[in-house]
Amino acid sequence: MPPSLNELAARLRFCRHLVVLTGAGVSQESGIPTFRDALTGLWSQFEAERLATPAAFKADPALVWGWYEWRRAQVLACEPNAAHVAIAELVHRVPRLTLITQNVDGLHQRAGSPEVLELHGSLHRPCCHACRRPYALTGPPPLPDEGQRLPPPRCVHCGGRIRPGVVWFGETLPANILKQAEAAARDGDLFLSIGTSALVYPAAGLPWTAAEAGALVVQINPDTTPLDRLAAVNLQGTAAQILPELVTRAFLKTGESGRLP
């Protein structure tokens, strides 16, 4: 019989190394559309995959940069939700926490999580497509219209075009980030998979790595996923509903709220 929420809270309270993997479902509750859902309005005439490849950027850099700036503007207009806040609260409650995300929106950092392993990069850290040097953004983008082409800035070092700081189709994940994520999965004793479809590899392989190393794998998701058969605990519901309750039961006394909403 799977443990109850109270038993899981006790396991969380006494865990040695908590590993948290988050996916698009966490940010969706802040009003951020998932990758393919972001193709609305005029953007809907394009396939997401055609806007997220090196070849697409080479063929029409203004179109691709415009779409990503539109996405960045959307993200900056949203706020972290209760799930982001609950995870940030856990940083102060457990001996060690490794936060791994497939999201590129930066909402974990805005909620207060100090260290985040961003497997797929970030909308907020563009770089030069030619020399890969980072490019400092000066502020929020002017909100472009859907479908508007925006010429990307140029690198001050080599003159190359600045590209979004995300991992595109056909590109490998940042090796150092993936290495840290895999090491954490092997070392953790409790692994929470939250709001991810468990379909996109190599991120989808991390819970399996954790289970093989002996960790208790817990899934929080309103939908069924391929992880259902692996997870020792499947909590069906949204992260913003379940995580604050789990953290409250594990750590907070009656009447105490911490930073939880």
Side-chain angles (χ1 to χ4, degrees), residues 32-149:
I32 297 176
T34 61
F35 180 72
R36 288 170 181 81
D37 289 341
L39 294 177
T40 60
L42 295 175
W43 290 116
S44 62
Q45 62 186 295
F46 301 98
E47 296 177 4
E49 290 81 353
R50 292 182 59 191
L51 290 168
T53 66
F57 188 69
K58 181 179 179 180
D60 196 339
L63 176 68
V64 173
W65 182 258
W67 184 52
Y68 277 95
E69 282 295 270
W70 177 64
R71 288 185 66 196
R72 189 165 70 91
Q74 285 186 314
V75 164
L76 290 172
C78 296
E79 295 295 331
N81 62 56
H84 296 107
V85 173
I87 293 169
E89 178 77 16
L90 284 170
V91 173
H92 307 289
R93 301 283 180 172
V94 299
R96 182 181 178 191
L97 186 149
T98 300
L99 174 56
I100 309 163
T101 189
Q102 296 170 274
N103 299 332
V104 297
D105 50 54
L107 287 179
H108 282 302
Q109 291 91 332
R110 287 169 58 189
S113 292
E115 297 182 12
V116 186
L117 298 179
E118 295 174 305
L119 290 174
H120 296 162
S122 172
L123 290 170
H124 310 293
R125 291 197 310 275
C127 64
C128 177
H129 192 50
C131 70
R132 295 291 173 168
R133 286 185 172 93
Y135 177 81
L137 294 165
T138 56
L143 185 61
D145 294 330
E146 295 181 26
Q148 180 181 350
R149 285 174 164 81

Side-chain angles (χ1 to χ4, degrees), residues 206-224:
L206 294 173
W208 297 86
T209 299
E212 290 172 0
L216 178 73
V217 176
V218 177
Q219 177 177 227
I220 299 174
N221 204 308
D223 304 312
T224 60

Side-chain angles (χ1 to χ4, degrees), residues 171-190:
E171 296 181 325
T172 59
L173 301 190
N176 62 323
I177 299 297
L178 181 58
K179 182 178 180 180
Q180 292 177 67
E182 291 173 338
R186 289 190 296 268
D187 182 69
D189 56 322
L190 179 58

